[in-house]
């Protein structure tokens, strides 16, 4: 159900469905406005919390999905307080971050010291000319201890079926080794890259 195969990759990355996701910008939980990164995980048995600003999307989400979604404007709330109120844990296996024009405002005030993420897919929309956001987000995530696993993940169909840079994918080196950074790849090739080192990527904690 993902636009660039994020859900397939996450399923490859984690070894069992006893996991938790946090989905910022979940849409309707199925396919509007642009597919969904966590519906497949929901079907596999993951637990999770999803957030979107559109109440119509949230209503549809909560009628069709097992996990819970909330209508929240992340630019107008204390994120820590809000996450505590809705029962979100501090340790998150997969964080999907895709909130379009609100991205920079939320990043500027995001409580990285409160959460611990294992794997993150972050939409920077470089193909729309978001060069400043791309540079800022790379530095921010790196400063917070996360490391690029795959950079400028792409999908086709936006511009005459050409591959366009949409996201960066990060890992927490506390949990994963990260033996390669591949740029401008589509999701199929990323799964191929992952298969080459899947037996060694998980650290033994």
């Amino acid at each position: 159900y993902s636009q660039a195969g994020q859900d397939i990759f996450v399923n490859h990355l984690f070894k069992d469905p006893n996991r938790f996701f946090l989905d910022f910008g979940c849409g309707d939980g199925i396919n509007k406005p642009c597919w969904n990164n966590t519906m497949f995980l929901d079907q596999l048995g993951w637990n999770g919390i999803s957030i979107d600003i559109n109440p119509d999307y949230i209503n549809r989400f909560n009628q069709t999905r097992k996990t819970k979604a909330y209508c929240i404007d992340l630019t107008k709330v204390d994120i820590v307080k809000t996450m505590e109120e809705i029962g979100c844990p501090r340790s998150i296996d997969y964080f999907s971050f895709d909130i379009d024009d609100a991205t920079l405002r939320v990043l500027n005030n995001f409580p990285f010291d409160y959460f611990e993420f294992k794997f993150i897919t972050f939409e920077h929309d470089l193909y729309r000319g978001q060069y400043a956001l791309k540079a800022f987000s790379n530095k921010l995530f790196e400063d917070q201890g996360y490391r690029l696993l795959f950079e400028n993940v792409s999908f086709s169909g936006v511009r005459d079926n050409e591959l366009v840079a949409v996201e960066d994918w990060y890992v927490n080196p506390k949990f994963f080794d990260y033996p390669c950074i591949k740029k401008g790849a589509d999701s199929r090739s990323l799964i191929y890259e992952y298969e080459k080192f899947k037996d060694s990527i998980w650290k033994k904690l």
Side-chain angles (χ1 to χ4, degrees), residues 116 118 173-176 202-205:
E116 181 177 64
K118 295 178 183 176
K174 177 180 176 181
F175 299 95
F176 297 102
W202 273 93
K203 288 185 174 180
K204 295 181 180 179
L205 302 179

Side-chain angles (χ1 to χ4, degrees), residues 22 90-95 110 112 115-120 146 171-172 175:
L22 179 61
R90 298 179 67 171
S91 178
I92 308 290
D93 295 297
Y94 170 46
F95 182 28
F110 192 82
F112 283 100
F115 289 106
E116 181 177 64
F117 303 108
K118 295 178 183 176
F119 180 66
I120 301 168
Y146 297 97
V171 291
N172 186 333
F175 299 95

Side-chain angles (χ1 to χ4, degrees), residues 104-148:
L104 187 57
R105 284 175 289 166
V106 172
L107 273 185
N108 274 323
N109 298 289
F110 192 82
F112 283 100
D113 57 341
Y114 179 81
F115 289 106
E116 181 177 64
F117 303 108
K118 295 178 183 176
F119 180 66
I120 301 168
T121 59
F122 173 78
E123 182 167 306
H124 53 58
D125 285 341
L126 186 62
Y127 75 94
R128 292 198 292 135
Q130 300 278 26
Y131 298 102
L133 174 59
K134 160 69 174 169
F136 174 77
S137 61
N138 280 160
K139 185 176 187 307
L140 179 62
F141 281 109
E142 291 278 336
D143 287 348
Q144 295 298 326
Y146 297 97
R147 297 293 178 261
L148 270 170

Side-chain angles (χ1 to χ4, degrees), residues 7-23:
D7 52 0
I8 297 172
F9 188 85
V10 170
N11 184 44
H12 276 258
L13 186 62
F14 290 94
K15 297 181 181 298
D16 63 76
N18 188 26
R19 302 288 178 177
F20 194 96
F21 64 76
L22 179 61
D23 188 349

